[in-house]
Amino acid sequence: MNKAAVLAELSVTEFLDRSGFESEKSGSARRYWVCPQCGPSNTTKASGKFWARDDFGNCNACKFSGDLFAIAGAVLDLDPQKDFPAILSACAAIAGVDDNYDLATALKKLEARQWRRQQKERKARVLRERAERGAPEVWKMLKERSTKGQEYLASRGIMPQHAGRECRYGTHSVCLPLWRDSKIVSVVGRSFTVAPSPAPTG
């Protein structure tokens, strides 16, 4: 059984999905509520702690990471070093790969998958760089004072003077800048609900 053939027909996310792991899309990857290595989270803050793309996965909690076979080993409770033939066989069965699989086809599929991933990563990098360049202009457009925004901060137990070195406001949000090398590279905001104005009386 050839590793390339299995990798061509079965991605990490496909293996996890077929193994019953629930997830949600997160950019070009997927986030899972259960890590194959350390299991479910004990806190809601760590929900989606394990992320995976087609060829790799990583847990933000226990730091477990690896390719398809390492992750399959964790799910199947098998050692990738000692039990690799069993892991490979299990993955092949899920992928529908047998000894007659055409290796040339596998290599072409792997090459195409790698090219698509590189294109996605390049596009994401371009968009991120563009957003970082535009962050200072977004920051300048925000209001420096907002009655509703300050009321929202107070309702969360945060007085405006304790909200950080800078805090600005959108129409329905409280915003803070993210800095890198003394430059604003992003603006993050927390939306708040604006109560409707009371109807006129009389």
Side-chain angles (χ1 to χ4, degrees), residues 4 21 36-37 52 64 91-92 108 121 139 157 159-160 166 176 187-189 192 197 199:
F21 285 74
Q37 183 70 30
F64 166 73
C91 290
K108 288 181 180 178
E121 291 174 351
W139 185 247
M159 298 308 294
E166 291 184 76
L176 291 172
V187 177
V188 296
F192 56 84
S197 301

Side-chain angles (χ1 to χ4, degrees), residues 148 151 171-172 192-198:
K148 290 294 184 181
E151 289 176 355
T171 305
H172 304 299
F192 56 84
T193 301
V194 179
S197 301

